[in-house]
Amino acid sequence: MPHLRSTLLALVTVLLSACGPEPPPGTPVSTVRSGTAMPVASAPTASASAPDGAPDEPARVFLGDGRMRHGGYISAIAVDSTGARVATGGWDQMVRVWDAADGKRISTCPAGGDPRAIALSRGGALVAVSRFGRSADALWGMTNLVVVCDTHDGSVVRELQIDDLGCCNDALAFDAAGDRLWASGPKKLVSWDARTWTRTETPIPSGRTVRSFWFAPNGHVWMLGWDAKDDATLIVHDATAGTDLERHRPRVRAAHARPAAFAPSGAEVAMGDGDGSVWLYGHGGVVRHLTTALPPAPVVGPRTPPPPDVQAIAYSPDGTLLATADEVRGVVLWDAASLALVRRVMPERRLVHDVQFTPDGRTLLVEAFQPSLLAFDVQTGEPRYVFEAHGGPVVAVAVSPDGSRIATGSDDETVRIWDARSARTLHAVAIPANGYWAESQKVTALAWSRDGRNVFVGATQERVLVVDAETGAITATVEADDHKFRKRVRLSVARDGSALFTLTDLRLRRFDLPSLAQRSEHLGMDLSAMAALRDAPEIVVAERPYVTIVTADGLREHHTIELLGGTVALLAAGPAGQLAMDGPAGHVSIWSLDALDTTREPARPSPLAAIAADAEQVLALAYSEDGKLLATAGRERVVRVWDTRTFELVRELRGHEDRIVALAWAPDGRHLVSGSHDTTAIVWSLAPPSATTR
C-alpha cells in the first residue's frame, strides 16, 4: 500500500540488515505458562485483522500493492455516479470501496458471503451488496440478502431480505435519484426506501424471473427475464401503472447465462450470445446484429474449436462505444452506431466476468476472475493502474542468505524477487508452460542456494526450476518425479549448500549442487512433508502413518517414528533435536528426537509441548535461524511467535486479510516474512528474543 510504504521507508532501511539499529522492543501480547509433561499453550480466540492505518507491530513492510485487490477473486464491481469511487466484492466475502483516482482503499465492509451483485448510491455514500445467506425458515435453507454499508467507515447500515428462495438475484441498483434501492427476484422486483428502508414489491405480470433491469430516462424499467424453460423475454415495464408495455423474444441461445447492457439513451439493449454474437434490441423489437468472432481459423487437431462465448457487455456513458469481452478477442471497443471495431483494450485470452465504464467515459474497468481489478485507458488501451503485486495468492516465501533479497511465489504462475530494503521488485519470473499440463504452472515451494546466486522454484508437474537471482533468467530444470502429475513439490537445501532435496508424493530425491546431478532417491507412499535436521546429516520425512528419518547422503532409511497425531502436512526442525509438526484443530506438536527410543520399531519420540497455534488450521511453520523462536500461522490470518525454550507466546502479528500459508525467517532472526492468499507478503520487524521473553 503506497500510503504505508511512504511512512515506512525510514524503517525499511534497517529491515533484514544485521548491522542496522535495533528495532524497538515490543510487548508480548500474552504469555501462557507451560504445564505438564505435554503442556498445551493456548492462543487467544480469533479476531479480525487490523484495520488500515498504524500497524499493531513496531514495523511492517508490504511486498505487493494492495490497491484494487481482494484476498479472493473479484465477483462484482460498481462505480458511483460521480466516478470518484469504485466498489468491488470478492470471494474473500468482503466489499471494498476504492478511490478511483489512485486506487487507495477507502473502507471495507463484511459481506458475510460471496457477493452476487453490488451497487453504489448516488454520491457514493452507501454501498449495497447482494449475497446468499442461510435461514432455517427459508425454502431449501437459503435466502437472498442485501447488506448495505456506509462507504466512509465500512459499518453495516442495514441487512435486507429479498426472498426465501435463495436464487435469482443477479441485479442490484439505486435509482437515478438515489432515493430507492432495487433488487431483482423471482417474478418480481423488490425495492426499499433509502431513508426508511421500507420494502415494496413490484410483481411482474408476465411471470418471468428477472435477472437484469435498467431504468430508462422516461421512468420505464427495461427487464430481461426467463421463464421455467429458460427462454428469454425482454420486457419494457411501466412501474407506475404496474403493466408491461412491450415484450419481445430475443434471438439468444442459452440466454440465462448471457450478459446484457442498456444504452444510456434508453433506446436499446445489447445481449450477448454463446456464438460470439451480440444482439441489439430497440423499441418495437428493432434488431441489429454484431459478431465479435474472428474469421474462421484453420482447424488444428481432431475437432473444431467452439465459437467464442460473449462474457460481458457495457455501453459508454455517452452511448458512443460498446465494450464486449469474449474468449477469443479479449476486451474490444466497438462504435455503437456503426458497430465497427474501434480498439482492442485487453487482447489476452482470459475469462472476464464484467466490464464497466467510469462516468467520464475515459476508463474501462475489467473484472477478470482474479483478485485485482483491471483498469484501461479507453483512448489508448493502456493499463490505467500498474501495481507491483502478484495476481494470486502468495504461497511460498524465502529470504536470501545475506537477507538482502526476498523471493515470493504465487498461484499467478510467477516468482518475484524483491529488494528487501526498498520493497521493490527486482525480477518478475513467469513459469513457462510444460507439455500437456500447460494450463497449470503454479509455484509450490521456494529455496535459495547458500551462495545467494540461485532461487530454486518448485512448480506443479513435479519439476524444479533454477532461477538466476541476478538476472531473473531460468537457467536449468530438474525433475522431482518421473510422473508429471499436477502436484506440489517441496524443497530444502542442505545447510552446507552441497545438496538440493526435492519431495513429491512418491519420491525424495537428492541433487548435488552446483552440478544438479541426481545422487540418490528414497521411494515412499503419501509423502507429505520434509525437514532437514540441524544437528545431524539426516532428513525427516512425513510418510503416513509414520515419520521416517533418512540419511542426507544416500537417503537410506535410518529410523521410523510412530505418528501419534495422525496425518502430518507440515514439518519444521528446530534446535536440540526439536521437531514441530501440525496437528488437528489448529494445534502444533513439539517432539524431541534427541531422546529417541530406538529400542523398539517404530521408535517413539519424547513429547515436549503442544501449542494451540491457530483457531482453525495451521498452514505454515518456521524456526528462526538461531532456533530460539518458532513462527506459526494459518487460517486465522495471525502469525504467532513462540519461545522454543518455554513454549510461551511471544508475539502476535496481524495485518493479512486472508489465510497465511508461507513463513520464512531472515538470517538475523529479527525479521520474518509471511505470505498470504491476500496476494501480499509482509516483512515483520521483531525485537530480539531477549527483549520479549523472560
Side-chain angles (χ1 to χ4, degrees):
M1 297 181 181
H3 63 291
L4 286 175
R5 182 177 290 140
S6 62
T7 61
L8 291 172
L9 283 178
L11 292 171
V12 178
T13 59
V14 301
L15 288 179
L16 303 181
S17 174
C19 60
E22 295 288 335
T27 303
V29 175
S30 61
T31 300
V32 183
R33 299 295 180 187
S34 299
T36 61
M38 191 67 171
V40 177
S42 300
T45 56
S47 61
S49 59
D52 291 345
D56 295 340
E57 300 307 317
R60 64 179 180 181
V61 176
F62 286 81
L63 302 180
D65 201 314
R67 291 180 291 174
M68 296 290 190
R69 189 169 295 272
H70 279 260
Y73 286 174
I74 293 176
S75 57
I77 57 176
V79 186
D80 78 345
S81 57
T82 66
R85 294 184 175 185
V86 177
T88 57
W91 288 3
D92 56 359
Q93 301 187 358
M94 294 290 178
V95 175
R96 305 192 193 282
V97 180
W98 314 89
D99 187 302
D102 57 16
K104 291 182 179 179
R105 191 194 324 173
I106 297 173
S107 62
T108 299
C109 171
D114 293 338
R116 293 177 59 84
I118 196 168
L120 278 165
S121 64
R122 185 175 182 83
L126 297 175
V127 60
V129 57
S130 65
R131 65 168 178 85
F132 283 159
R134 295 192 176 276
S135 173
D137 300 328
L139 185 64
W140 303 316
M142 298 296 291
T143 184
N144 268 333
L145 298 174
V146 174
V147 179
V148 183
C149 299
D150 188 310
T151 60
H152 299 287
D153 57 12
S155 60
V156 177
V157 176
R158 211 80 173 184
E159 189 172 279
L160 310 168
Q161 183 172 331
I162 301 176
D163 59 66
D164 291 335
L165 294 180
C167 73
C168 314
N169 174 236
D170 292 328
L172 191 68
F174 285 91
D175 61 15
D179 297 331
R180 300 193 70 81
L181 173 64
W182 291 77
S184 62
K187 303 181 182 180
K188 63 187 174 186
L189 291 179
V190 182
S191 65
W192 298 268
D193 186 291
R195 295 179 297 272
T196 64
W197 302 111
T198 304
R199 173 191 172 101
T200 302
E201 288 192 8
T202 304
I204 306 303
S206 56
R208 299 289 194 249
T209 295
V210 179
R211 293 291 178 86
S212 303
F213 61 86
W214 307 268
F215 297 101
N218 60 4
H220 294 164
V221 182
W222 287 59
M223 295 177 287
L224 193 58
W226 290 267
D227 58 20
K229 298 180 180 180
D230 283 331
D231 291 330
T233 300
L234 180 63
I235 305 168
V236 181
H237 182 74
D238 187 331
T240 303
T243 58
D244 292 344
L245 303 178
E246 296 181 36
R247 281 185 289 173
H248 309 287
R249 276 292 177 171
R251 303 177 186 177
V252 179
R253 301 176 303 164
H256 61 284
R258 302 296 152 232
F262 182 66
S265 64
E268 195 171 55
V269 171
M271 286 172 280
D273 205 347
D275 61 355
S277 296
V278 176
W279 297 92
L280 299 98
Y281 286 82
H283 284 291
V286 177
V287 178
R288 296 194 297 155
H289 179 249
L290 164 68
T291 177
T292 69
L294 293 169
V299 177
V300 178
R303 61 187 184 127
T304 303
D309 184 2
V310 178
Q311 301 160 338
I313 305 175
Y315 280 95
S316 62
D318 60 6
T320 61
L321 294 175
L322 182 67
T324 65
D326 63 58
E327 298 168 307
V328 175
R329 288 188 186 266
V331 178
V332 183
L333 297 178
W334 309 85
D335 185 287
S338 65
L339 302 183
L341 189 148
V342 175
R343 184 176 298 107
R344 295 181 71 179
V345 175
M346 191 183 75
E348 295 92 343
R349 297 186 181 186
R350 60 195 307 176
L351 292 175
V352 173
H353 184 263
D354 196 8
V355 293
Q356 286 195 30
F357 286 88
T358 55
D360 60 10
R362 297 192 299 173
T363 302
L364 182 67
L365 302 176
V366 179
E367 177 197 329
F369 284 98
Q370 63 182 42
S372 58
L373 183 66
L374 305 178
F376 297 91
D377 187 293
V378 171
Q379 293 300 320
T380 65
E382 296 297 320
R384 177 73 74 178
Y385 308 117
V386 179
F387 302 141
E388 268 194 345
H390 281 292
V394 175
V395 297
V397 294
V399 184
S400 65
D402 62 358
S404 65
R405 292 163 294 175
I406 299 170
T408 58
S410 170
D411 280 356
D412 67 356
E413 304 177 6
T414 65
V415 172
R416 286 181 176 264
I417 300 176
W418 309 77
D419 183 278
R421 298 179 185 276
S422 65
R424 292 292 182 183
T425 300
L426 300 175
H427 303 290
V429 184
I431 307 302
N434 183 31
Y436 182 77
W437 300 114
E439 77 281 4
S440 180
Q441 307 296 322
K442 296 180 180 180
V443 177
T444 63
L446 293 172
W448 283 83
S449 62
R450 293 301 176 185
D451 59 11
R453 295 180 179 178
N454 296 308
V455 178
F456 302 109
V457 182
T460 48
Q461 306 169 46
E462 300 177 340
R463 60 182 178 143
V464 179
L465 309 178
V466 183
V467 177
D468 187 307
E470 295 298 327
T471 65
I474 298 174
T475 59
T477 303
V478 297
E479 302 298 333
D481 207 316
D482 298 331
H483 302 88
K484 305 302 182 292
F485 297 114
R486 289 177 290 178
K487 296 183 179 179
R488 61 180 299 183
V489 177
R490 298 100 175 150
L491 300 176
S492 180
V493 174
R495 296 183 69 82
D496 62 3
S498 63
L500 169 68
F501 299 95
T502 67
L503 184 77
T504 67
D505 292 353
L506 301 176
R507 287 174 172 83
L508 169 65
R509 284 179 172 172
R510 172 189 168 123
F511 297 89
D512 288 341
L513 294 178
S515 66
L516 292 175
Q518 182 182 333
R519 172 180 288 196
S520 50
E521 179 179 86
H522 169 77
L523 299 178
M525 291 293 293
D526 294 327
L527 306 181
S528 57
M530 70 171 168
L533 296 182
R534 295 171 176 242
D535 307 319
E538 296 174 322
I539 305 293
V540 182
V541 182
E543 184 174 1
R544 191 170 51 182
Y546 303 104
V547 168
T548 303
I549 299 178
V550 299
T551 61
D553 185 18
L555 302 184
R556 294 183 299 274
E557 188 172 316
H558 193 194
H559 292 297
T560 300
I561 303 173
E562 184 177 3
L563 275 183
L564 303 180
T567 303
V568 171
L570 303 169
L571 285 176
Q578 280 192 25
L579 182 67
M581 62 181 69
D582 65 315
H587 282 71
V588 172
S589 301
I590 316 294
W591 304 84
S592 173
L593 300 182
D594 279 356
L596 190 64
D597 180 9
T598 59
T599 60
R600 50 170 290 177
E601 196 66 33
R604 181 71 62 85
S606 299
L608 294 178
I611 55 177
D614 193 271
E616 299 180 49
Q617 181 184 6
V618 177
L619 300 172
L621 297 172
Y623 278 95
S624 61
E625 187 69 18
D626 58 12
K628 295 180 180 179
L629 297 174
L630 171 65
T632 64
R635 289 182 177 272
E636 200 180 347
R637 302 177 294 177
V638 180
V639 179
R640 292 189 169 91
V641 182
W642 309 82
D643 188 306
T644 59
R645 295 166 297 177
T646 63
F647 303 108
E648 294 176 346
L649 180 62
V650 174
R651 183 76 59 79
E652 282 188 335
L653 309 173
R654 301 175 184 271
H656 281 297
E657 297 177 344
D658 204 339
R659 68 188 69 178
I660 302 167
V661 295
L663 293 169
W665 286 90
D668 62 8
R670 296 186 292 122
H671 300 93
L672 176 66
V673 184
S674 57
S676 168
H677 276 215
D678 66 8
T679 75
T680 68
I682 298 179
V683 183
W684 305 92
S685 176
L686 305 176
S690 59
T692 57
T693 59
R694 291 174 170 82

